[in-house]
Amino acid sequence: MASLGLSLDPNYWKNLTITEEDLQFLYNYLLETETPQTAAELTEVLIRERIRREIERLKQEQAAGGEIYQPKNHYRPGQTLRFPALGMTQGVVVGVRPGFNPDFPPFEVIEVEFDSQTRKEFAAGLAEHALNAPITINDQDPLLNPKYVVKHYGRDIAAKLTAEFETNPDLVRIAGAWFPRALLVDVSVGYLNLAEAVLEMAGGGPLPTQAILEQIELPSDVNPKLTEFSLNLALQEDGRFDEVGPAGQILWFLKRLEPEAVQTPPMFLKYVPADLPGEPPPSILQELNRLVFDELENQPALSEDINEVTLSLIFPHWRAGTLPLTGAMVNLFPTAYESPRVRFNFIDEEDGSTYPGWVVRPYRYIYGLQEWYARQGVIPGSLITVRQGEKLGEVFIRARKKRPTKEWLRTVLIGSDGGIVFTMLKHTVGVEYDERMIIIILDPERLDQVWEQTHRQRVPLERIVRSMTKELAKLNPQGHVHAQELYAAVNLVKRCPPSALLAILASLPNISHLGDLYFRLSEEEASHE
């Protein structure tokens, strides 16, 4: 006969509350193991402990508080019974009478009172009945399976644990790992000065903690993991050092030797939100955002199964030697538990050469490609393919090359008054590009001056949009301007996300939307100088 199993409430893990008992258990666990643990690792430990506790509780409930009701037994008035089919609810037998059913041998019917309002009847003295199966813990219940619980509820539980740990002064965290403060080794300022010297000799870094420990000779007569964690925390709390390793790897860098562009956004990437006249039309914004990659837009992350993205550069990123860290790109680059900056290596897929890269998480861009852009002949509008690396801390990059040909391309000229003029000129290019995004820049330094002048004079974005629309319209016989090419043009002189551009276009009375992201100036506006 199959046994009946006691199981957890279906919402047990979903509604789990972290208790003081849980926190004390994990604190003692860290003391005993003397090994720093991430919230995810501690979550699995807690889940296993909770399952152990709940199994004990179910066993105690089974053994306490009254006899388990089974139809084969006989009962008398006054007996307290517990009913597995009713969630182990308790009831008191208040009556016994003979039962009658021609299909069954003689049996009894007991009347059970659960509260003053509820009475139910049950069979007794029946030797053959499904509920006579022995009561055990249901080991097939997925909610009592640690792997199942970790997979389906682990992330939420880890977030709850992290929130609790962050308010606990007895715990410290470095690179996502937690540890009791009481066990830390004291690291004096002298050892930190030696660590600074080691990093300086390494060009600023990055170096793993172990490499630093080997050179500063910090006493390690305790658990080596304790020593390493203690140094990590001391470095983290000293403003001279920056932890720049990807998640799962701790690497240190001297802040003063980091590129300036990873501490402060380059001029070309700084966006000053404008007072917009309204909201951009959602459907048009969604359409444009499918064509461009802009870190200033809140685009959702793509599936982790997508490990390669091809994008077209706008002038600000080309000039700064950066890439946008958009939702489509975020899974391709290393991240970190806490570090605002992550150091990694770009690998050129063509020749295997390596270029140091930085993920600047607070400002959502990737820095380190100025040399590579110049070497590959990359220009604004070029197509760049980025692919997730096979190793931690590596990302592959490829310029889409083609046989050099001479082509008519949109070219920017700068007047003596600093005004922007577009014309079509022939240029030799050896890279693939997006036809709507490509812009040939003959004098980047002169354009830098226009950029600075635009910001110094606080030229309104609306005026820039209107001016660029007029200029681009001259290159099209119908006078039509596509939002994507206008986006690339406006970003020649002022950082502007698609949403701001479309909000302004929607508000200008002399510009009409023709559909498919095409816009047109009224004849009056187009002829007005």
Side-chain angles (χ1 to χ4, degrees):
M1 181 181 293
S3 63
L4 297 177
L6 299 175
S7 300
L8 287 182
D9 182 287
N11 293 318
Y12 178 88
W13 296 108
K14 180 180 179 181
N15 299 330
L16 184 72
T17 298
I18 306 300
T19 66
E20 187 61 35
E21 182 182 4
D22 294 331
L23 296 175
Q24 190 60 47
F25 166 77
L26 292 176
Y27 185 81
N28 291 335
Y29 173 81
L30 289 171
L31 288 176
E32 292 169 6
T33 59
E34 295 188 348
T35 303
Q37 302 274 303
T38 65
E41 291 168 331
L42 291 171
T43 293
E44 184 170 355
V45 172
L46 177 60
I47 287 171
R48 293 182 181 279
E49 170 63 11
R50 276 289 193 122
I51 289 174
R52 185 196 65 78
R53 281 192 229 154
E54 290 304 316
I55 290 176
E56 286 301 313
R57 179 185 63 79
L58 290 172
K59 288 179 178 178
Q60 290 174 7
E61 285 186 355
Q62 180 180 349
E67 183 180 345
I68 301 295
Y69 163 73
Q70 290 185 308
K72 68 181 179 181
N73 297 327
H74 295 275
Y75 302 102
R76 63 183 184 279
Q79 269 190 282
T80 298
L81 302 178
R82 298 168 70 248
F83 294 80
L86 301 178
M88 303 305 287
T89 303
Q90 287 188 357
V92 178
V93 179
V94 295
V96 180
R97 64 175 175 81
F100 175 76
N101 187 319
D103 296 329
F104 291 94
F107 66 96
E108 297 173 337
V109 174
I110 60 173
E111 184 178 14
V112 179
E113 182 178 76
F114 292 95
D115 54 48
S116 59
Q117 304 291 324
T118 306
R119 290 191 178 193
K120 294 183 179 182
E121 291 186 335
F122 300 87
L126 273 178
E128 299 294 331
H129 196 285
L131 293 181
N132 286 326
I135 308 300
T136 61
I137 303 301
N138 181 9
D139 56 7
Q140 300 302 312
D141 181 3
L143 298 183
L144 293 174
N145 183 316
K147 290 184 178 179
Y148 176 91
V149 177
V150 168
K151 179 179 179 181
H152 291 85
Y153 301 96
R155 182 173 298 181
D156 290 340
I157 296 174
K160 293 177 182 179
L161 274 181
T162 298
E164 293 289 341
F165 290 165
E166 286 175 344
T167 63
N168 190 333
D170 296 328
L171 293 175
V172 292
R173 175 175 57 184
I174 177 69
W178 294 91
F179 201 66
R181 187 179 292 273
L183 290 183
L184 294 178
V185 175
D186 180 49
V187 179
S188 69
V189 67
Y191 288 112
L192 295 176
N193 292 339
L194 290 173
E196 181 181 17
V198 169
L199 285 168
E200 189 163 13
M201 291 176 61
L207 286 179
T209 314
Q210 192 58 44
I212 299 174
L213 276 171
E214 290 172 358
Q215 297 189 59
I216 67 173
E217 298 181 350
L218 184 68
S220 56
D221 53 345
V222 295
N223 184 333
K225 291 184 178 179
L226 288 185
T227 304
E228 184 172 338
F229 189 87
S230 300
L231 178 59
N232 280 333
L233 183 65
L235 292 171
Q236 178 179 265
E237 294 181 343
D238 189 308
R240 293 173 288 177
F241 307 97
D242 211 359
E243 201 285 296
V244 299
Q249 184 178 359
I250 297 178
L251 297 173
W252 293 101
F253 214 101
L254 275 182
K255 277 187 180 179
R256 60 183 171 82
L257 294 182
E258 290 176 351
E260 182 180 351
V262 308
Q263 294 284 343
T264 304
M267 172 182 68
F268 305 103
L269 300 186
K270 292 180 179 177
Y271 172 59
V272 180
D275 292 329
L276 300 176
E279 294 293 325
S283 59
I284 302 178
L285 177 60
Q286 186 177 16
E287 193 175 352
L288 181 55
N289 274 337
R290 280 199 295 265
L291 301 175
V292 302
F293 291 77
D294 196 302
E295 74 276 10
L296 300 176
E297 297 290 337
N298 291 319
Q299 298 171 320
L302 296 182
S303 167
E304 293 185 2
D305 296 333
I306 298 176
N307 64 358
E308 182 176 292
V309 168
T310 296
L311 72 156
S312 181
L313 288 177
I314 55 174
F315 169 77
H317 283 292
W318 173 75
R319 195 68 173 130
T322 55
L323 290 172
L325 187 63
T326 66
M329 306 273 284
V330 69
N331 289 332
L332 306 183
F333 289 89
T335 187
Y337 295 112
E338 303 167 78
S339 306
R341 292 162 290 277
V342 182
R343 173 67 163 73
F344 70 100
N345 286 322
F346 278 113
I347 309 295
D348 187 317
E349 284 208 86
E350 186 177 83
D351 61 13
S353 54
T354 301
Y355 299 81
W358 295 81
V359 180
V360 186
R361 297 172 65 208
Y363 302 106
R364 299 169 66 180
Y365 64 84
I366 296 100
Y367 174 79
L369 289 170
Q370 281 181 317
E371 180 186 347
W372 187 81
Y373 286 164
R375 181 176 176 182
Q376 298 295 324
V378 169
I379 54 180
S382 291
L383 293 176
I384 305 294
T385 296
V386 180
R387 181 169 64 86
Q388 193 175 45
E390 286 86 6
K391 297 179 181 178
L392 184 68
E394 288 186 353
V395 174
F396 289 96
I397 191 165
R398 181 175 81 252
R400 304 283 287 270
K401 296 292 189 69
K402 67 173 186 174
R403 185 173 63 84
T405 56
K406 216 166 191 182
E407 304 175 40
W408 290 97
L409 298 172
R410 190 182 304 114
T411 306
V412 63
L413 303 176
I414 303 171
S416 57
D417 61 350
I420 296 293
V421 177
F422 288 109
T423 187
M424 299 297 289
L425 296 176
K426 269 197 167 184
H427 300 276
T428 301
V429 293
V431 292
E432 295 182 15
Y433 55 84
D434 186 309
E435 292 186 358
R436 295 197 182 105
M437 302 278 282
I438 187 167
I439 302 175
I440 300 297
I441 299 167
L442 299 177
D443 191 345
E445 288 75 18
R446 182 74 178 92
L447 191 54
D448 293 350
Q449 295 173 13
V450 175
W451 187 287
E452 292 172 353
Q453 179 180 322
T454 299
H455 282 260
R456 187 169 58 251
Q457 296 179 356
R458 298 183 180 179
V459 179
L461 185 57
E462 178 180 327
R463 187 192 303 174
I464 296 172
V465 171
R466 191 189 301 270
S467 172
M468 292 296 185
T469 305
K470 287 182 182 180
E471 280 298 320
L472 291 171
K474 295 175 184 178
L475 303 180
N476 187 304
Q478 292 79 33
H480 299 172
V481 177
H482 194 277
Q484 189 179 0
E485 64 185 10
L486 183 56
Y487 163 74
V490 170
N491 274 281
L492 288 174
V493 296
K494 191 180 183 71
R495 187 70 181 92
C496 173
S499 53
L501 170 65
L502 293 176
I504 289 174
L505 285 174
S507 72
L508 294 176
N510 294 324
I511 297 181
S512 55
H513 181 220
L514 305 177
D516 293 331
L517 292 178
Y518 281 99
F519 292 80
R520 182 174 184 175
L521 285 167
S522 66
E523 292 184 8
E524 177 185 358
E525 179 74 15
S527 61
H528 178 71
E529 294 294 340

